[in-house]
Structures are given as C-alpha cells and as structure tokens.
Amino acid sequence: MPTNEKEYNGYLLDQLHALKRIKKVALRISADEELMEAIDEEIENVNEKLYQKPPLIQE
C-alpha cells in the first residue's frame, strides 16, 4: 500500500502508461470498438484519480 500521495501517483502513472501501451497494440490489431471503449474508460478512471482536487492527502 502506498505510504504517501507521491507514491500513489506513481502507481497511477504506471497504470496509465500500461493502458496506453495496451491501447497501441489494440489499435494495431484493429480491436473491436467495445474493447477500445473499455480501454478509454479505464484511462479516464485513472486520470480522474490522478488529477483529483483536492488531493488525497492534505499535509
């Protein structure tokens, strides 16, 4: 479990990068629209957590 917001954001950024790599592969193999929508939704969910206001931890 992350000990601070910076570490948590690092995990979120790792997830975001992994989803973007998956999306590149999905585009290359011409994945169906349902899969592309699911990937985009997950990217949006991670972005919401990453850029939420106010931050998770207030110091």
Side-chain angles (χ1 to χ4, degrees), residues 14-35:
D14 288 344
Q15 290 178 5
L16 189 59
H17 293 144
L19 286 164
K20 287 180 178 182
R21 288 192 305 272
I22 291 168
K23 185 173 181 177
K24 279 184 185 179
V25 172
L27 287 170
R28 191 172 37 216
I29 64 170
S30 301
D32 67 345
E33 188 64 30
E34 188 175 346
L35 176 61

Side-chain angles (χ1 to χ4, degrees), residues 5-52:
E5 188 172 1
K6 185 176 180 179
E7 186 177 357
Y8 183 69
N9 285 345
Y11 290 136
L12 291 173
L13 287 169
D14 288 344
Q15 290 178 5
L16 189 59
H17 293 144
L19 286 164
K20 287 180 178 182
R21 288 192 305 272
I22 291 168
K23 185 173 181 177
K24 279 184 185 179
V25 172
L27 287 170
R28 191 172 37 216
I29 64 170
S30 301
D32 67 345
E33 188 64 30
E34 188 175 346
L35 176 61
M36 297 306 294
E37 287 175 9
I39 294 169
D40 288 336
E41 185 177 322
E42 289 303 316
I43 289 173
E44 185 177 319
N45 290 340
V46 172
N47 277 326
E48 284 176 5
K49 292 176 188 174
L50 189 59
Y51 299 112
Q52 68 182 344

